[in-house]
Coordinates of all heavy atoms in Angstrom, one line a residue:
V1 N -6.3 -3.6 0.5 CA -6.0 -4.4 1.7 C -7.2 -4.3 2.7 O -7.7 -5.4 3.2 CB -4.8 -3.8 2.4 CG1 -4.6 -4.4 3.8 CG2 -3.6 -4.1 1.5
F2 N -7.8 -3.1 2.9 CA -8.9 -3.0 3.8 C -10.1 -3.7 3.3 O -10.9 -4.3 4.1 CB -9.2 -1.5 4.0 CG -8.1 -0.7 4.6 CD1 -7.9 0.6 4.3 CD2 -7.3 -1.3 5.6 CE1 -6.8 1.3 4.8 CE2 -6.3 -0.6 6.2 CZ -6.0 0.7 5.8
L3 N -10.3 -3.8 2.0 CA -11.4 -4.5 1.4 C -11.3 -6.0 1.6 O -12.3 -6.6 2.0 CB -11.5 -4.2 -0.1 CG -12.6 -4.9 -0.9 CD1 -14.0 -4.4 -0.4 CD2 -12.5 -4.6 -2.4
V4 N -10.2 -6.5 1.4 CA -10.0 -8.0 1.6 C -10.2 -8.3 3.1 O -10.8 -9.4 3.4 CB -8.5 -8.4 1.1 CG1 -8.2 -9.8 1.5 CG2 -8.4 -8.3 -0.4
L5 N -9.6 -7.5 4.0 CA -9.8 -7.8 5.4 C -11.2 -7.8 5.8 O -11.7 -8.6 6.6 CB -8.9 -6.8 6.2 CG -7.4 -6.9 6.1 CD1 -6.7 -5.8 6.9 CD2 -6.9 -8.3 6.6
E6 N -11.9 -6.8 5.3 CA -13.3 -6.6 5.7 C -14.2 -7.7 5.1 O -15.1 -8.2 5.8 CB -13.9 -5.3 5.2 CG -15.3 -5.0 5.6 CD -15.8 -3.6 5.1 OE1 -14.9 -2.9 4.5 OE2 -16.9 -3.3 5.2
S7 N -13.9 -8.2 3.9 CA -14.7 -9.2 3.2 C -14.6 -10.6 4.0 O -15.5 -11.4 3.9 CB -14.3 -9.4 1.8 OG -12.9 -9.8 1.7
H8 N -13.4 -10.8 4.7 CA -13.2 -12.0 5.4 C -13.4 -11.9 6.9 O -13.2 -12.8 7.6 CB -11.8 -12.6 5.1 CG -11.6 -13.0 3.7 ND1 -12.2 -14.1 3.2 CD2 -10.8 -12.5 2.7 CE1 -11.8 -14.3 1.9 NE2 -11.0 -13.3 1.6
G9 N -13.9 -10.7 7.3 CA -14.2 -10.5 8.7 C -12.9 -10.4 9.6 O -13.0 -10.8 10.8
L10 N -11.8 -10.0 9.1 CA -10.6 -9.8 9.8 C -10.4 -8.4 10.3 O -10.6 -7.5 9.5 CB -9.4 -10.3 9.0 CG -9.4 -11.8 8.5 CD1 -8.3 -12.0 7.6 CD2 -9.4 -12.7 9.7
D11 N -10.0 -8.2 11.5 CA -9.8 -6.9 12.1 C -8.4 -6.4 11.9 O -7.4 -7.0 12.2 CB -10.1 -7.0 13.6 CG -10.1 -5.6 14.3 OD1 -10.0 -4.6 13.6 OD2 -10.3 -5.5 15.5
I12 N -8.3 -5.2 11.3 CA -7.0 -4.6 11.0 C -6.2 -4.3 12.2 O -5.0 -4.3 12.2 CB -7.2 -3.3 10.1 CG1 -5.8 -2.8 9.7 CG2 -7.9 -2.3 10.9 CD1 -5.0 -3.7 8.8
N13 N -6.9 -4.1 13.4 CA -6.2 -3.8 14.6 C -5.4 -5.0 15.2 O -4.6 -4.8 16.1 CB -7.2 -3.3 15.7 CG -7.8 -2.0 15.3 OD1 -7.1 -1.1 14.9 ND2 -9.1 -1.8 15.4
N14 N -5.7 -6.2 14.7 CA -5.0 -7.4 15.1 C -3.8 -7.6 14.2 O -3.0 -8.6 14.4 CB -5.9 -8.6 15.0 CG -6.9 -8.6 16.1 OD1 -6.7 -8.0 17.2 ND2 -8.1 -9.2 15.8
C15 N -3.5 -6.8 13.2 CA -2.4 -6.9 12.4 C -1.1 -6.4 13.1 O -1.1 -5.3 13.6 CB -2.6 -6.1 11.1 SG -1.2 -6.2 9.9
R16 N -0.1 -7.2 13.2 CA 1.1 -6.9 14.0 C 2.3 -6.8 13.1 O 3.4 -6.6 13.6 CB 1.3 -7.9 15.1 CG 0.3 -7.9 16.2 CD 0.4 -6.6 17.0 NE -0.6 -6.5 18.0 CZ -1.8 -5.9 17.8 NH1 -2.1 -5.4 16.6 NH2 -2.6 -5.9 18.8
G17 N 2.2 -6.9 11.8 CA 3.4 -6.8 10.9 C 3.0 -6.7 9.5 O 1.9 -7.1 9.1
Q18 N 3.9 -6.2 8.7 CA 3.7 -6.1 7.2 C 5.1 -6.1 6.6 O 6.0 -5.5 7.1 CB 2.9 -4.8 6.8 CG 3.4 -3.6 7.6 CD 2.5 -2.4 7.2 OE1 2.0 -2.2 6.1 NE2 2.5 -1.4 8.1
S19 N 5.2 -6.7 5.4 CA 6.4 -6.9 4.7 C 6.2 -6.7 3.2 O 5.4 -7.4 2.6 CB 7.1 -8.2 5.0 OG 8.3 -8.3 4.4
Y20 N 7.0 -5.8 2.6 CA 6.9 -5.6 1.2 C 8.4 -5.4 0.7 O 9.3 -5.4 1.4 CB 6.1 -4.3 0.8 CG 4.9 -4.2 1.7 CD1 4.8 -3.1 2.6 CD2 3.8 -5.1 1.6 CE1 3.6 -3.0 3.4 CE2 2.7 -4.9 2.3 CZ 2.6 -3.9 3.2 OH 1.5 -3.7 4.0
D21 N 8.5 -5.2 -0.7 CA 9.8 -4.9 -1.2 C 10.0 -3.4 -1.1 O 9.3 -2.7 -0.4 CB 9.9 -5.3 -2.7 CG 8.8 -4.7 -3.6 OD1 8.2 -3.7 -3.2 OD2 8.5 -5.3 -4.6
Y22 N 11.1 -2.9 -1.7 CA 11.5 -1.5 -1.5 C 10.9 -0.5 -2.5 O 11.3 0.6 -2.7 CB 13.0 -1.4 -1.6 CG 13.7 -1.7 -0.3 CD1 14.1 -3.0 0.0 CD2 13.9 -0.7 0.6 CE1 14.7 -3.3 1.2 CE2 14.5 -1.0 1.8 CZ 14.9 -2.3 2.1 OH 15.5 -2.6 3.3
A23 N 9.8 -0.9 -3.2 CA 9.1 0.0 -4.1 C 8.5 1.2 -3.3 O 8.0 0.9 -2.2 CB 8.0 -0.7 -4.9
S24 N 8.6 2.4 -3.8 CA 8.2 3.5 -3.0 C 6.7 3.5 -2.7 O 6.3 4.0 -1.6 CB 8.5 4.8 -3.8 OG 7.9 4.8 -5.1
N25 N 5.9 3.0 -3.6 CA 4.4 2.9 -3.3 C 4.1 1.9 -2.2 O 3.0 2.0 -1.6 CB 3.6 2.6 -4.6 CG 4.0 1.2 -5.1 OD1 5.1 0.7 -4.8 ND2 3.1 0.6 -5.9
M26 N 5.0 1.0 -1.9 CA 4.8 0.0 -0.8 C 5.4 0.4 0.5 O 4.8 0.4 1.5 CB 5.3 -1.4 -1.3 CG 4.8 -1.8 -2.6 SD 3.1 -2.3 -2.7 CE 3.2 -4.0 -2.1
S27 N 6.7 0.7 0.4 CA 7.5 1.0 1.6 C 7.8 2.4 1.9 O 8.6 2.7 2.8 CB 8.9 0.2 1.5 OG 9.6 0.7 0.4
G28 N 7.1 3.3 1.2 CA 7.3 4.7 1.4 C 7.1 5.2 2.8 O 6.0 4.7 3.4
R29 N 7.9 6.0 3.4 CA 7.8 6.3 4.8 C 6.7 7.2 5.1 O 6.1 7.2 6.2 CB 9.1 7.0 5.3 CG 9.2 7.3 6.7 CD 10.5 7.9 7.1 NE 11.6 7.0 6.9 CZ 12.9 7.2 7.1 NH1 13.2 8.4 7.6 NH2 13.8 6.4 6.9
Y30 N 6.2 8.1 4.2 CA 5.2 9.1 4.4 C 3.9 8.7 3.8 O 2.8 8.9 4.4 CB 5.7 10.4 4.0 CG 7.0 10.8 4.6 CD1 8.2 10.8 3.9 CD2 7.0 11.2 6.0 CE1 9.4 11.2 4.5 CE2 8.2 11.6 6.6 CZ 9.4 11.6 5.9 OH 10.5 11.9 6.5
T31 N 3.9 8.3 2.5 CA 2.6 8.0 1.8 C 2.6 6.6 1.2 O 1.7 6.3 0.5 CB 2.4 9.1 0.7 OG1 3.5 9.0 -0.2 CG2 2.3 10.5 1.2
G32 N 3.5 5.8 1.6 CA 3.5 4.4 1.1 C 2.4 3.6 1.8 O 1.7 4.0 2.7
L33 N 2.2 2.4 1.3 CA 1.2 1.5 1.8 C 1.5 1.2 3.3 O 0.5 1.2 4.1 CB 1.2 0.2 1.0 CG 0.3 -0.9 1.6 CD1 -1.2 -0.5 1.6 CD2 0.5 -2.2 0.8
Q34 N 2.7 1.0 3.7 CA 3.0 0.7 5.1 C 2.7 1.9 6.0 O 2.2 1.7 7.1 CB 4.5 0.2 5.2 CG 5.5 1.3 4.9 CD 6.1 2.0 6.1 OE1 5.7 1.7 7.2 NE2 6.9 3.0 5.9
A35 N 2.9 3.1 5.5 CA 2.6 4.3 6.3 C 1.0 4.5 6.4 O 0.5 4.9 7.5 CB 3.2 5.5 5.6
R36 N 0.3 4.1 5.4 CA -1.2 4.3 5.4 C -1.8 3.2 6.4 O -2.8 3.5 7.1 CB -1.8 4.1 4.0 CG -1.4 5.3 3.1 CD -2.0 5.1 1.7 NE -1.6 6.2 0.8 CZ -2.2 7.4 0.8 NH1 -3.3 7.6 1.6 NH2 -1.8 8.3 -0.1
I37 N -1.2 2.0 6.4 CA -1.7 1.0 7.3 C -1.3 1.4 8.8 O -2.1 1.2 9.7 CB -1.2 -0.4 6.9 CG1 -1.8 -0.8 5.6 CG2 -1.4 -1.4 8.0 CD1 -1.3 -2.2 5.1
K38 N -0.2 2.0 8.9 CA 0.2 2.4 10.3 C -0.6 3.5 10.8 O -0.8 3.7 12.0 CB 1.7 2.8 10.3 CG 2.7 1.7 10.4 CD 4.1 2.2 10.7 CE 5.0 1.1 11.0 NZ 6.4 1.6 11.3
K39 N -1.2 4.4 9.9 CA -2.1 5.4 10.4 C -3.3 4.8 11.1 O -3.9 5.4 12.0 CB -2.5 6.3 9.2 CG -1.4 7.3 8.8 CD -1.9 8.1 7.6 CE -0.8 9.1 7.2 NZ -1.2 9.9 6.0
V40 N -3.8 3.7 10.5 CA -4.9 3.0 11.1 C -4.6 2.2 12.3 O -5.3 2.1 13.3 CB -5.6 2.1 10.0 CG1 -6.8 1.4 10.5 CG2 -6.0 3.0 8.8
N41 N -3.4 1.5 12.2 CA -2.9 0.6 13.2 C -1.4 0.8 13.4 O -0.6 0.2 12.7 CB -3.2 -0.9 12.9 CG -2.7 -1.8 13.9 OD1 -2.4 -1.4 15.0 ND2 -2.7 -3.1 13.6
P42 N -1.1 1.6 14.4 CA 0.4 1.9 14.6 C 1.2 0.7 15.0 O 2.4 0.7 14.9 CB 0.4 2.9 15.8 CG -1.0 3.5 15.8 CD -1.9 2.4 15.3
L43 N 0.6 -0.4 15.4 CA 1.3 -1.6 15.9 C 1.7 -2.5 14.7 O 2.3 -3.6 14.9 CB 0.5 -2.4 16.9 CG 0.2 -1.6 18.2 CD1 -0.6 -2.5 19.2 CD2 1.5 -1.2 18.9
A44 N 1.3 -2.2 13.5 CA 1.6 -3.0 12.3 C 3.0 -2.7 11.9 O 3.2 -1.8 11.0 CB 0.6 -2.8 11.2
T45 N 4.0 -3.3 12.5 CA 5.4 -3.1 12.3 C 5.8 -3.4 10.8 O 5.5 -4.5 10.3 CB 6.3 -3.9 13.2 OG1 5.9 -3.6 14.6 CG2 7.7 -3.5 13.0

């Protein structure tokens, strides 16, 4: 995700939302993708 955003010149801090299915690697509360993106940008609901 960070690679794609950087390659197109998009700032991760302007991300205000994220939506995935219920797979643990995507929606995991502690180490899932949504949790890792929230560590960088807490406003990415």
Side-chain angles (χ1 to χ4, degrees):
V1 170
F2 297 144
L3 178 65
V4 169
L5 293 175
E6 185 180 354
S7 63
H8 293 290
L10 300 173
D11 189 0
I12 185 64
N13 292 317
N14 291 329
C15 180
R16 291 294 176 267
Q18 45 183 330
S19 180
Y20 320 112
D21 56 23
Y22 276 92
S24 59
N25 61 337
M26 308 289 274
S27 60
R29 183 177 299 180
Y30 302 107
T31 58
L33 173 61
Q34 63 99 2
R36 293 182 182 276
I37 291 179
K38 274 190 173 182
K39 285 181 181 179
V40 180
N41 179 14
L43 297 179
T45 305

